[in-house]
PDB file of all heavy atoms in Angstrom:
ATOM      1  N   ILE V   1      13.920  -5.315 -16.242  1.00 97.00           N
ATOM      2  CA  ILE V   1      13.426  -4.078 -15.839  1.00 97.00           C
ATOM      3  C   ILE V   1      11.874  -4.138 -15.840  1.00 97.00           C
ATOM      4  O   ILE V   1      11.241  -3.934 -14.792  1.00 97.00           O
ATOM      5  CB  ILE V   1      13.876  -2.829 -16.418  1.00 97.00           C
ATOM      6  CG1 ILE V   1      15.490  -2.621 -16.237  1.00 97.00           C
ATOM      7  CG2 ILE V   1      13.093  -1.633 -15.986  1.00 97.00           C
ATOM      8  CD1 ILE V   1      16.148  -1.630 -17.105  1.00 97.00           C
ATOM      9  N   SER V   2      11.345  -4.460 -16.983  1.00 97.00           N
ATOM     10  CA  SER V   2       9.854  -4.485 -17.152  1.00 97.00           C
ATOM     11  C   SER V   2       9.203  -5.413 -16.226  1.00 97.00           C
ATOM     12  O   SER V   2       8.167  -5.156 -15.556  1.00 97.00           O
ATOM     13  CB  SER V   2       9.430  -4.614 -18.499  1.00 97.00           C
ATOM     14  OG  SER V   2       9.950  -5.869 -19.088  1.00 97.00           O
ATOM     15  N   HIS V   3       9.822  -6.679 -16.126  1.00 98.00           N
ATOM     16  CA  HIS V   3       9.192  -7.639 -15.288  1.00 98.00           C
ATOM     17  C   HIS V   3       9.262  -7.252 -13.836  1.00 98.00           C
ATOM     18  O   HIS V   3       8.350  -7.513 -12.994  1.00 98.00           O
ATOM     19  CB  HIS V   3       9.888  -9.049 -15.548  1.00 98.00           C
ATOM     20  CG  HIS V   3       9.503  -9.726 -16.714  1.00 98.00           C
ATOM     21  ND1 HIS V   3       8.416 -10.714 -16.704  1.00 98.00           N
ATOM     22  CD2 HIS V   3       9.819  -9.703 -17.912  1.00 98.00           C
ATOM     23  CE1 HIS V   3       8.172 -11.089 -17.852  1.00 98.00           C
ATOM     24  NE2 HIS V   3       9.048 -10.664 -18.756  1.00 98.00           N
ATOM     25  N   GLY V   4      10.385  -6.703 -13.489  1.00 97.00           N
ATOM     26  CA  GLY V   4      10.655  -6.221 -12.017  1.00 97.00           C
ATOM     27  C   GLY V   4       9.635  -5.096 -11.712  1.00 97.00           C
ATOM     28  O   GLY V   4       9.060  -5.156 -10.653  1.00 97.00           O
ATOM     29  N   VAL V   5       9.576  -4.136 -12.594  1.00 96.00           N
ATOM     30  CA  VAL V   5       8.629  -2.902 -12.257  1.00 96.00           C
ATOM     31  C   VAL V   5       7.147  -3.353 -12.159  1.00 96.00           C
ATOM     32  O   VAL V   5       6.463  -2.951 -11.206  1.00 96.00           O
ATOM     33  CB  VAL V   5       8.744  -1.900 -13.414  1.00 96.00           C
ATOM     34  CG1 VAL V   5       7.721  -0.808 -13.204  1.00 96.00           C
ATOM     35  CG2 VAL V   5      10.164  -1.209 -13.332  1.00 96.00           C
ATOM     36  N   ILE V   6       6.693  -4.278 -13.016  1.00 97.00           N
ATOM     37  CA  ILE V   6       5.352  -4.767 -12.887  1.00 97.00           C
ATOM     38  C   ILE V   6       5.045  -5.482 -11.705  1.00 97.00           C
ATOM     39  O   ILE V   6       4.061  -5.246 -11.045  1.00 97.00           O
ATOM     40  CB  ILE V   6       4.981  -5.557 -14.275  1.00 97.00           C
ATOM     41  CG1 ILE V   6       4.976  -4.747 -15.464  1.00 97.00           C
ATOM     42  CG2 ILE V   6       3.693  -6.372 -14.088  1.00 97.00           C
ATOM     43  CD1 ILE V   6       5.017  -5.548 -16.750  1.00 97.00           C
ATOM     44  N   ALA V   7       5.900  -6.363 -11.316  1.00 97.00           N
ATOM     45  CA  ALA V   7       5.752  -7.118 -10.132  1.00 97.00           C
ATOM     46  C   ALA V   7       5.908  -6.284  -8.959  1.00 97.00           C
ATOM     47  O   ALA V   7       5.052  -6.512  -7.941  1.00 97.00           O
ATOM     48  CB  ALA V   7       6.854  -8.219 -10.042  1.00 97.00           C
ATOM     49  N   TYR V   8       6.690  -5.276  -9.028  1.00 96.00           N
ATOM     50  CA  TYR V   8       6.849  -4.376  -7.739  1.00 96.00           C
ATOM     51  C   TYR V   8       5.656  -3.591  -7.586  1.00 96.00           C
ATOM     52  O   TYR V   8       5.097  -3.429  -6.454  1.00 96.00           O
ATOM     53  CB  TYR V   8       8.125  -3.350  -8.044  1.00 96.00           C
ATOM     54  CG  TYR V   8       8.329  -2.419  -6.979  1.00 96.00           C
ATOM     55  CD1 TYR V   8       9.243  -2.636  -5.958  1.00 96.00           C
ATOM     56  CD2 TYR V   8       7.444  -1.233  -6.906  1.00 96.00           C
ATOM     57  CE1 TYR V   8       9.401  -1.774  -5.039  1.00 96.00           C
ATOM     58  CE2 TYR V   8       7.929  -0.347  -5.908  1.00 96.00           C
ATOM     59  CZ  TYR V   8       8.724  -0.565  -4.905  1.00 96.00           C
ATOM     60  OH  TYR V   8       8.944   0.406  -3.870  1.00 96.00           O
ATOM     61  N   ARG V   9       5.093  -2.980  -8.689  1.00 92.00           N
ATOM     62  CA  ARG V   9       3.911  -2.199  -8.589  1.00 92.00           C
ATOM     63  C   ARG V   9       2.607  -3.044  -8.137  1.00 92.00           C
ATOM     64  O   ARG V   9       1.844  -2.474  -7.281  1.00 92.00           O
ATOM     65  CB  ARG V   9       3.538  -1.586  -9.975  1.00 92.00           C
ATOM     66  CG  ARG V   9       4.640  -0.427 -10.311  1.00 92.00           C
ATOM     67  CD  ARG V   9       4.271   0.212 -11.594  1.00 92.00           C
ATOM     68  NE  ARG V   9       5.251   1.244 -12.025  1.00 92.00           N
ATOM     69  CZ  ARG V   9       5.333   1.892 -13.094  1.00 92.00           C
ATOM     70  NH1 ARG V   9       4.497   1.477 -14.208  1.00 92.00           N
ATOM     71  NH2 ARG V   9       6.146   2.859 -13.230  1.00 92.00           N
ATOM     72  N   LYS V  10       2.495  -4.250  -8.634  1.00 93.00           N
ATOM     73  CA  LYS V  10       1.334  -5.173  -8.159  1.00 93.00           C
ATOM     74  C   LYS V  10       1.439  -5.307  -6.675  1.00 93.00           C
ATOM     75  O   LYS V  10       0.329  -5.274  -6.000  1.00 93.00           O
ATOM     76  CB  LYS V  10       1.371  -6.380  -8.975  1.00 93.00           C
ATOM     77  CG  LYS V  10       0.870  -6.221 -10.422  1.00 93.00           C
ATOM     78  CD  LYS V  10       0.789  -7.586 -11.129  1.00 93.00           C
ATOM     79  CE  LYS V  10       0.211  -7.565 -12.511  1.00 93.00           C
ATOM     80  NZ  LYS V  10       0.381  -8.821 -13.174  1.00 93.00           N
ATOM     81  N   MET V  11       2.620  -5.767  -6.143  1.00 94.00           N
ATOM     82  CA  MET V  11       2.812  -6.076  -4.820  1.00 94.00           C
ATOM     83  C   MET V  11       2.605  -4.798  -3.943  1.00 94.00           C
ATOM     84  O   MET V  11       1.970  -4.828  -2.886  1.00 94.00           O
ATOM     85  CB  MET V  11       4.148  -6.694  -4.500  1.00 94.00           C
ATOM     86  CG  MET V  11       4.289  -7.310  -3.156  1.00 94.00           C
ATOM     87  SD  MET V  11       3.100  -8.437  -2.644  1.00 94.00           S
ATOM     88  CE  MET V  11       3.726  -9.952  -3.727  1.00 94.00           C
ATOM     89  N   ARG V  12       3.177  -3.667  -4.501  1.00 89.00           N
ATOM     90  CA  ARG V  12       2.985  -2.392  -3.740  1.00 89.00           C
ATOM     91  C   ARG V  12       1.531  -2.030  -3.430  1.00 89.00           C
ATOM     92  O   ARG V  12       1.250  -1.633  -2.308  1.00 89.00           O
ATOM     93  CB  ARG V  12       3.734  -1.356  -4.481  1.00 89.00           C
ATOM     94  CG  ARG V  12       3.597   0.137  -3.824  1.00 89.00           C
ATOM     95  CD  ARG V  12       4.203   1.210  -4.552  1.00 89.00           C
ATOM     96  NE  ARG V  12       3.690   1.325  -5.766  1.00 89.00           N
ATOM     97  CZ  ARG V  12       3.986   2.237  -6.810  1.00 89.00           C
ATOM     98  NH1 ARG V  12       5.061   2.925  -6.720  1.00 89.00           N
ATOM     99  NH2 ARG V  12       3.191   2.326  -7.953  1.00 89.00           N
ATOM    100  N   GLU V  13       0.763  -2.167  -4.451  1.00 86.00           N
ATOM    101  CA  GLU V  13      -0.722  -1.879  -4.244  1.00 86.00           C
ATOM    102  C   GLU V  13      -1.326  -2.784  -3.115  1.00 86.00           C
ATOM    103  O   GLU V  13      -2.213  -2.321  -2.490  1.00 86.00           O
ATOM    104  CB  GLU V  13      -1.443  -2.097  -5.640  1.00 86.00           C
ATOM    105  CG  GLU V  13      -0.971  -1.094  -6.681  1.00 86.00           C
ATOM    106  CD  GLU V  13      -1.203   0.350  -6.147  1.00 86.00           C
ATOM    107  OE1 GLU V  13      -2.257   0.689  -5.616  1.00 86.00           O
ATOM    108  OE2 GLU V  13      -0.234   1.064  -6.477  1.00 86.00           O
ATOM    109  N   SER V  14      -0.928  -3.982  -3.105  1.00 86.00           N
ATOM    110  CA  SER V  14      -1.387  -4.981  -2.054  1.00 86.00           C
ATOM    111  C   SER V  14      -1.064  -4.579  -0.695  1.00 86.00           C
ATOM    112  O   SER V  14      -1.913  -4.770   0.270  1.00 86.00           O
ATOM    113  CB  SER V  14      -1.006  -6.350  -2.304  1.00 86.00           C
ATOM    114  OG  SER V  14      -1.259  -6.940  -3.579  1.00 86.00           O
ATOM    115  N   TYR V  15       0.091  -3.978  -0.572  1.00 86.00           N
ATOM    116  CA  TYR V  15       0.608  -3.664   0.792  1.00 86.00           C
ATOM    117  C   TYR V  15       0.391  -2.226   1.245  1.00 86.00           C
ATOM    118  O   TYR V  15       0.860  -1.746   2.311  1.00 86.00           O
ATOM    119  CB  TYR V  15       2.024  -3.971   0.973  1.00 86.00           C
ATOM    120  CG  TYR V  15       2.253  -5.577   1.304  1.00 86.00           C
ATOM    121  CD1 TYR V  15       2.328  -6.463   0.292  1.00 86.00           C
ATOM    122  CD2 TYR V  15       2.156  -5.985   2.570  1.00 86.00           C
ATOM    123  CE1 TYR V  15       2.381  -7.778   0.447  1.00 86.00           C
ATOM    124  CE2 TYR V  15       2.195  -7.379   2.860  1.00 86.00           C
ATOM    125  CZ  TYR V  15       2.401  -8.247   1.742  1.00 86.00           C
ATOM    126  OH  TYR V  15       2.459  -9.615   2.092  1.00 86.00           O
ATOM    127  N   LEU V  16      -0.071  -1.298   0.268  1.00 85.00           N
ATOM    128  CA  LEU V  16      -0.300   0.036   0.484  1.00 85.00           C
ATOM    129  C   LEU V  16      -1.490   0.222   1.268  1.00 85.00           C
ATOM    130  O   LEU V  16      -2.621   0.619   0.674  1.00 85.00           O
ATOM    131  CB  LEU V  16      -0.252   0.778  -0.754  1.00 85.00           C
ATOM    132  CG  LEU V  16      -0.215   2.329  -0.652  1.00 85.00           C
ATOM    133  CD1 LEU V  16       0.940   2.873   0.157  1.00 85.00           C
ATOM    134  CD2 LEU V  16      -0.261   3.020  -2.080  1.00 85.00           C
ATOM    135  N   VAL V  17      -1.432   0.128   2.475  1.00 88.00           N
ATOM    136  CA  VAL V  17      -2.669   0.187   3.403  1.00 88.00           C
ATOM    137  C   VAL V  17      -2.269   0.948   4.647  1.00 88.00           C
ATOM    138  O   VAL V  17      -1.150   0.873   5.105  1.00 88.00           O
ATOM    139  CB  VAL V  17      -3.275  -1.215   3.728  1.00 88.00           C
ATOM    140  CG1 VAL V  17      -3.836  -1.851   2.577  1.00 88.00           C
ATOM    141  CG2 VAL V  17      -2.214  -2.038   4.489  1.00 88.00           C
ATOM    142  N   PRO V  18      -3.084   1.718   5.210  1.00 92.00           N
ATOM    143  CA  PRO V  18      -2.810   2.366   6.538  1.00 92.00           C
ATOM    144  C   PRO V  18      -2.676   1.434   7.610  1.00 92.00           C
ATOM    145  O   PRO V  18      -3.354   0.295   7.625  1.00 92.00           O
ATOM    146  CB  PRO V  18      -4.091   3.346   6.700  1.00 92.00           C
ATOM    147  CG  PRO V  18      -5.178   2.790   5.979  1.00 92.00           C
ATOM    148  CD  PRO V  18      -4.483   2.107   4.832  1.00 92.00           C
ATOM    149  N   TYR V  19      -1.992   1.847   8.675  1.00 93.00           N
ATOM    150  CA  TYR V  19      -1.922   1.061   9.938  1.00 93.00           C
ATOM    151  C   TYR V  19      -3.378   0.884  10.452  1.00 93.00           C
ATOM    152  O   TYR V  19      -4.226   1.823  10.174  1.00 93.00           O
ATOM    153  CB  TYR V  19      -1.084   1.627  10.871  1.00 93.00           C
ATOM    154  CG  TYR V  19       0.439   1.460  10.744  1.00 93.00           C
ATOM    155  CD1 TYR V  19       1.175   2.460  10.423  1.00 93.00           C
ATOM    156  CD2 TYR V  19       0.980   0.290  10.981  1.00 93.00           C
ATOM    157  CE1 TYR V  19       2.553   2.449  10.272  1.00 93.00           C
ATOM    158  CE2 TYR V  19       2.391   0.084  10.797  1.00 93.00           C
ATOM    159  CZ  TYR V  19       3.122   1.169  10.510  1.00 93.00           C
ATOM    160  OH  TYR V  19       4.494   1.016  10.354  1.00 93.00           O
ATOM    161  N   PRO V  20      -3.758  -0.118  11.232  1.00 91.00           N
ATOM    162  CA  PRO V  20      -4.981  -0.267  11.930  1.00 91.00           C
ATOM    163  C   PRO V  20      -5.263   1.020  12.789  1.00 91.00           C
ATOM    164  O   PRO V  20      -4.324   1.520  13.353  1.00 91.00           O
ATOM    165  CB  PRO V  20      -4.988  -1.471  12.681  1.00 91.00           C
ATOM    166  CG  PRO V  20      -3.958  -2.275  11.892  1.00 91.00           C
ATOM    167  CD  PRO V  20      -2.866  -1.367  11.575  1.00 91.00           C
ATOM    168  N   LYS V  21      -6.546   1.517  12.757  1.00 95.00           N
ATOM    169  CA  LYS V  21      -6.966   2.716  13.539  1.00 95.00           C
ATOM    170  C   LYS V  21      -6.489   3.983  13.043  1.00 95.00           C
ATOM    171  O   LYS V  21      -6.815   4.933  13.673  1.00 95.00           O
ATOM    172  CB  LYS V  21      -6.458   2.437  14.937  1.00 95.00           C
ATOM    173  CG  LYS V  21      -7.009   1.187  15.663  1.00 95.00           C
ATOM    174  CD  LYS V  21      -6.576   1.063  17.140  1.00 95.00           C
ATOM    175  CE  LYS V  21      -7.049  -0.207  17.766  1.00 95.00           C
ATOM    176  NZ  LYS V  21      -6.520  -0.256  19.103  1.00 95.00           N
ATOM    177  N   VAL V  22      -5.704   4.101  11.889  1.00 96.00           N
ATOM    178  CA  VAL V  22      -5.311   5.381  11.346  1.00 96.00           C
ATOM    179  C   VAL V  22      -6.624   6.168  10.952  1.00 96.00           C
ATOM    180  O   VAL V  22      -6.763   7.442  11.447  1.00 96.00           O
ATOM    181  CB  VAL V  22      -4.435   5.200  10.129  1.00 96.00           C
ATOM    182  CG1 VAL V  22      -4.357   6.580   9.418  1.00 96.00           C
ATOM    183  CG2 VAL V  22      -3.130   4.784  10.606  1.00 96.00           C
ATOM    184  N   ILE V  23      -7.439   5.630  10.058  1.00 96.00           N
ATOM    185  CA  ILE V  23      -8.640   6.377   9.747  1.00 96.00           C
ATOM    186  C   ILE V  23      -9.540   6.807  10.806  1.00 96.00           C
ATOM    187  O   ILE V  23      -9.967   7.881  10.987  1.00 96.00           O
ATOM    188  CB  ILE V  23      -9.403   5.621   8.546  1.00 96.00           C
ATOM    189  CG1 ILE V  23      -8.533   5.527   7.388  1.00 96.00           C
ATOM    190  CG2 ILE V  23     -10.732   6.220   8.261  1.00 96.00           C
ATOM    191  CD1 ILE V  23      -9.027   4.776   6.162  1.00 96.00           C
ATOM    192  N   PRO V  24      -9.889   5.833  11.763  1.00 97.00           N
ATOM    193  CA  PRO V  24     -10.838   6.249  12.828  1.00 97.00           C
ATOM    194  C   PRO V  24     -10.218   7.346  13.707  1.00 97.00           C
ATOM    195  O   PRO V  24     -10.808   8.241  14.221  1.00 97.00           O
ATOM    196  CB  PRO V  24     -10.960   4.975  13.751  1.00 97.00           C
ATOM    197  CG  PRO V  24     -10.792   3.916  12.744  1.00 97.00           C
ATOM    198  CD  PRO V  24      -9.720   4.359  11.726  1.00 97.00           C
ATOM    199  N   THR V  25      -8.761   7.228  13.830  1.00 97.00           N
ATOM    200  CA  THR V  25      -8.100   8.292  14.650  1.00 97.00           C
ATOM    201  C   THR V  25      -8.238   9.692  14.032  1.00 97.00           C
ATOM    202  O   THR V  25      -8.384  10.655  14.688  1.00 97.00           O
ATOM    203  CB  THR V  25      -6.652   7.847  14.883  1.00 97.00           C
ATOM    204  OG1 THR V  25      -6.648   6.606  15.653  1.00 97.00           O
ATOM    205  CG2 THR V  25      -5.836   8.941  15.743  1.00 97.00           C
ATOM    206  N   LEU V  26      -7.890   9.608  12.664  1.00 97.00           N
ATOM    207  CA  LEU V  26      -8.061  10.899  11.964  1.00 97.00           C
ATOM    208  C   LEU V  26      -9.424  11.597  12.055  1.00 97.00           C
ATOM    209  O   LEU V  26      -9.517  12.773  12.178  1.00 97.00           O
ATOM    210  CB  LEU V  26      -7.562  10.692  10.561  1.00 97.00           C
ATOM    211  CG  LEU V  26      -6.024  10.308  10.381  1.00 97.00           C
ATOM    212  CD1 LEU V  26      -5.831  10.101   8.882  1.00 97.00           C
ATOM    213  CD2 LEU V  26      -5.065  11.391  10.945  1.00 97.00           C
ATOM    214  N   ILE V  27     -10.367  10.747  11.856  1.00 97.00           N
ATOM    215  CA  ILE V  27     -11.754  11.143  11.966  1.00 97.00           C
ATOM    216  C   ILE V  27     -12.096  11.800  13.275  1.00 97.00           C
ATOM    217  O   ILE V  27     -12.679  12.854  13.387  1.00 97.00           O
ATOM    218  CB  ILE V  27     -12.792   9.942  11.704  1.00 97.00           C
ATOM    219  CG1 ILE V  27     -12.678   9.534  10.141  1.00 97.00           C
ATOM    220  CG2 ILE V  27     -14.169  10.328  11.987  1.00 97.00           C
ATOM    221  CD1 ILE V  27     -13.501   8.305   9.853  1.00 97.00           C
ATOM    222  N   GLU V  28     -11.614  11.124  14.369  1.00 97.00           N
ATOM    223  CA  GLU V  28     -11.882  11.643  15.722  1.00 97.00           C
ATOM    224  C   GLU V  28     -11.131  12.876  15.946  1.00 97.00           C
ATOM    225  O   GLU V  28     -11.706  13.858  16.555  1.00 97.00           O
ATOM    226  CB  GLU V  28     -11.493  10.616  16.708  1.00 97.00           C
ATOM    227  CG  GLU V  28     -11.832  10.954  18.150  1.00 97.00           C
ATOM    228  CD  GLU V  28     -13.251  11.008  18.338  1.00 97.00           C
ATOM    229  OE1 GLU V  28     -14.093  10.376  17.522  1.00 97.00           O
ATOM    230  OE2 GLU V  28     -13.825  11.828  19.201  1.00 97.00           O
TER     231      GLU V  28
END
């Protein structure tokens, strides 16, 4: 469980990004 959770969280942080153009669209 501990090995799985640690790996999951590390990878999640890498892929937790908005789609392209999300931020410019919200700003506009």
